[in-house]
Amino acid sequence: MTRTLILIRHCKSDWSANQNDHDRPLNPRGRRAAPRLGAFLAQHDLCPDQVLCSDAMRTRETYAGIATSLLDAPAPTLSRALYLGEPDIMLGALRAATGSCVALIGHNPGIATLAWQLAETPANDERFAMYPTGATTVLTIDTPWTKLSTGTLTHFTTPRDLPDPG
């Protein structure tokens, strides 16, 4: 059974708010970007049936924006361990996944490093190395989640690549 993995870095957050890092929300640009990512996923028939999400405000808001464009978007599984999680923590969460199309929404540098580790061939795009806010990688996985080690990159995009769906 082929599985799909979607790795998403949260959209642009608001540094002007005087809040701790965990509670930092998206800024207006980030709130506009998240539905673009959702429209991209919907356009490519990539509706996750499981979402693993850091419990930080900016990742939760990113998924909420994405979900507005998806039919039957599942409730996210929020995890404190994914907040600024290292790649091995994220990989552990993915190896326990049960969906056929799983999205993981996290933070740099962990999510970028994980994308590099899992992609058999990295995206031919200089932004893949930087993994800017909203960066989204889609991989096809041909092993069970419990044996996840690499996958075939099928898509890489950022919100700036995408039209405003509104």
Side-chain angles (χ1 to χ4, degrees):
M1 170 188 205
T2 299
R3 291 160 183 77
T4 303
L5 174 58
I6 306 166
L7 299 173
I8 304 168
R9 181 180 175 196
H10 64 80
C11 291
K12 190 73 174 162
S13 59
D14 187 355
W15 286 89
S16 69
N18 190 16
Q19 294 164 321
N20 70 45
D21 184 69
H22 186 267
D23 296 330
R24 201 161 21 96
L26 294 180
N27 70 11
R29 187 173 109 196
R31 285 191 287 280
R32 289 188 307 271
R36 288 181 182 153
L37 294 174
F40 170 83
L41 294 176
Q43 175 187 4
H44 291 89
D45 294 321
L46 295 166
C47 184
D49 53 9
Q50 184 178 12
V51 176
L52 308 174
C53 185
S54 157
D55 67 350
M57 177 65 75
R58 60 193 178 273
T59 51
R60 290 183 287 138
E61 287 184 345
T62 295
Y63 180 62
I66 289 169
T68 63
S69 299
L70 302 176
L71 294 176
D72 300 320
T77 300
L78 302 177
S79 170
R80 183 64 173 216
L82 295 176
Y83 169 63
L84 304 178
E86 296 293 324
D88 61 331
I89 299 294
M90 293 183 204
L91 186 58
L94 289 169
R95 286 183 174 155
T98 58
S100 61
C101 181
V102 176
L104 188 145
I105 305 171
H107 309 264
N108 261 359
I111 195 86
T113 303
L114 184 64
W116 269 96
Q117 288 175 350
L118 293 179
E120 289 171 352
T121 304
N124 187 18
D125 185 320
E126 65 185 17
R127 296 167 304 161
F128 189 71
M130 299 179 312
Y131 224 77
T133 53
T136 300
T137 297
V138 180
L139 300 166
T140 299
I141 309 297
D142 291 325
T143 62
W145 291 117
T146 56
K147 297 181 182 193
L148 176 62
S149 63
T150 62
T152 303
L153 188 139
T154 59
H155 301 284
F156 173 74
T157 195
T158 69
R160 289 184 183 221
D161 299 330
L162 305 171
D164 187 343

